[in-house]
Amino acid sequence: MREPFSTAAQQREADMLGMYLFLASEVLLFGGLFAGALTYRILYPEAVVAASARLHVWIGAANTALLLTSSLLVALAVQAADCGLRRPAAALLSGAAGLGFGFLVLKAVEYTKEIHQGLLPGFGGRFDFSSPVEQLFMNLYLVGTGLHAAHMTVGIAILAGLAWRIGRRSLPLPERAVTVAVCGLYWHLVDIVWVFLYPVLYLAR
Amino acid sequence: MGAGISEKTVAETAEERISYLRAGHTLRSWFFTTDHKRIALLYLVSVTFFFFIGGAAAALMRADLLTPEGDLLSNEGYNRAFTLHGVIMVWFFLIPSIPNVFGNFLLPLMIGARDLAFPRLNLISWYVYMVGGLFTVFILITGGVDTGWTFYTPLSSMFANGNVVLAATAIFVVGFSSIMTGLNFIVTVHTLRAPGMTWGRLPLFVWSHYATSIILVLATPVLTISLVLIAAERLFGIGIFDPALGGDPLLYQHLFWFYSHPAVYIMVLPALGVTSELVAAAARKPVFGYWFVAASSIAIALVGFLVWGHHMFVSGQSMYASAVFSFLSLVVAVPSGIKVYNWTATLYKGHISLDPPFLFAMGFIGLFVVGGLTGLILAMLAVDVHVHDTYFVVAHFHYIMVGGTVSAFFGALHYWWPKITGRHYSIVWGSLSAVFIFLGFNLTFFPQFLLGYLGMPRRYHVYDPGFQVLHVLSSAGATILGVAYLLPFAYLFYSLRNGEPAGPNPWGATGLEWTVASPPPKHNFETIPVVTRPPYDYEIEQESDAG
Ligand code: HEM
Ligand SMILES: [Cu+2]
């Protein structure tokens, strides 16, 4: 137990609440981008639809599937940690990190294609959109997915680190199960953000 | 486990009684402390430092404005001076001042806790703040930025001279410090209240910090994203705001003010909380309408998110949007009005003691009312179009932010100084500085209402000679104000060595923070107190005195 707490339950409550608040602030970080994208979808439907139609919707769908699966693995890992099942917890977390890595690889492939097709602004080369709204949409797409990918990277590092620590018993289970739960929440958030990004960007057609 | 704790208490009692100031003298014991009280002092020193840097820039501008020609500063230099002033004052003084100094010191004491929920996070947040702050000062002094504290695009993203990206990075960094502090406060209030400290018994100071923390956690990320977008545009040409790159400048203003209007409440809500404590202590009565005052903090926090558009009346947003924002802005004045009304009712027929904290509180109320009422004037669409971007606006926000928040900061400093240091300071000098701050302030900023009304635009330093008299008056006031701000330094420092020992409760106030020694012991409470009485139960005390 840490310094200001007098019971383990109190500390657990504090850790969970702290994480929920942090996640609320993360949601608002993306919230500004969502609000912008939605506003332009409503104000200029044709241009936004035209831009969105050129995104690689199937790569996005595959990525959605990867992320949802990894979220499931994390949820199972949290259960396992609660029951003190060390090996399954570590395995599930590694699996989730692996799927997350797969997501990033696919995303990189997608960005490369987009750069070749002149869809992405800001990379020198040719940029294939004429109307400013289409351009703005692609800018929002780039910042939104880029920021998400940055969060993914952090998340993967966290999951892999957890798996490693559980594996070498430096994170005793089930005593420190709350750490797994708190990190799991972070991963679910990254997942949820994508579940919103995907329709707002790819399915706006 | 229970046995373990009580053994530990017995063994450490003697050591725990040592005050937090004496528990360790090494630099290490200060710079790696996780004690919320020591961290509060680290913040006190740092915010004071930034206050002086911001103040120096202000002095420079007021000196330049003495004459209608721009003879002291170049145009560029003037732009850089007001940017330095605004950035430092807003992000490195006003926002962190009361929460990070007094909130940090008092919140755990007031709710009967040994520390904040995440002590290490608290220390990290100070380091993050310092890194952001020193970096900002360095950038603004070496390269300079000329956009003003609002970083409006496309000026900031495409055309501005100087280190916009670096400055934005520094503010981005300090945003994390705000979020950490807000998060820490909310979790602490939820999980570490002593037995019997129900929500209805929380001091109003705690309520207002709770409301402030909600804004810190929810609004700061929106600022963060706006700064990320500016950087993306400047560095990579990813146009979000610049029309030439497909962007939309209004989008920036929406994002920025969605943060920055609530941010004005980050600055003022803690001040309102301080004032409630000072008023109750001065009147020796329970605060009139406790629940209204508590709830109005939350109401201000929530409605504050809906009024950002009143900064954009002349920006080209739709007329209907402006009308709605105008109406909502009038609504947000209601909870502030409730507070002023309830303080007045609390003071009515109170046995008022005229000591420095009370004088600062009165100064606060007066200036806050002027600032709030002129805010209403600005919120009225038709009037704002006339005085927009004139000195009227400058006067308005200085009444609220400087007159309000800084007065409350000094009020808090004078009220809790004996608790923090264990020493009394000179009541006469304290009272004098409260009076001089009030007078100097009004002489500085009242003429600016007139200037604005007459049409003097803000952010110009070459002006029509007809405005000179009012500018000279304002600069004279600023001189008095500057001296008055320096005064407390002298007598507070003097009190550190020579002040009378204060005893645990020098003002005869209620509240858990006054039940422990001054300065408080390292772990605040030897045993966690059990709260059995409502807050501000002065009357009960008097009855039992009489009986
Ligand atoms: C309570 C604390 C308040 C603070 C700290 C505060 C602070 C500020 C600041 C800093 C600005 C200047 C923004 C800029 O640089 O352009 C400003 C402008 C403004 N404030 Fe306030 N304010 C407060 C209360 C209010 C209230 C209660 C209202 C309305 C009911 C209000 C209405 C306005 C309006 C309409 C403007 C924009 C004027 C313009 O740019 O033309 N303010 N305020
Ligand atoms: Cu506002």
Side-chain angles (χ1 to χ4, degrees), chain A residues 40-109:
Chain A
Y40 291 103
R41 170 79 176 86
I42 294 166
L43 291 180
Y44 310 101
E46 299 88 21
V48 169
V49 169
S52 165
R54 299 186 58 187
L55 294 179
H56 300 270
V57 69
W58 290 111
I59 301 189
N63 264 341
T64 313
L66 280 182
L67 257 190
L68 288 175
T69 318
S70 75
S71 235
L72 175 67
L73 298 191
V74 167
L76 294 174
V78 171
Q79 290 298 322
D82 258 341
C83 308
L85 303 171
R86 202 167 57 78
R87 280 173 174 284
L92 286 163
L93 289 171
S94 325
L99 290 178
F101 187 71
F103 177 102
L104 286 184
V105 173
L106 265 186
K107 193 79 218 158
V109 171

Side-chain angles (χ1 to χ4, degrees), chain B residues 375-440:
Chain B
L376 287 180
I377 295 176
L378 288 173
M380 284 186 252
L381 194 46
V383 185
D384 183 62
V385 173
H386 174 64
V387 293
H388 172 79
D389 268 349
T390 66
Y391 265 75
F392 193 90
V393 174
V394 177
H396 154 70
F397 66 72
H398 281 90
Y399 263 83
I400 293 279
M401 305 204 299
V402 184
T405 306
V406 181
S407 299
F409 179 82
F410 275 94
L413 191 62
H414 285 78
Y415 183 57
W416 283 293
W417 183 263
K419 176 53 62 187
I420 295 173
T421 65
R423 303 287 183 157
H424 272 303
Y425 51 87
S426 153
I427 294 290
V428 176
W429 282 104
S431 310
L432 274 180
S433 76
V435 171
F436 274 108
I437 286 178
F438 184 80
L439 295 179

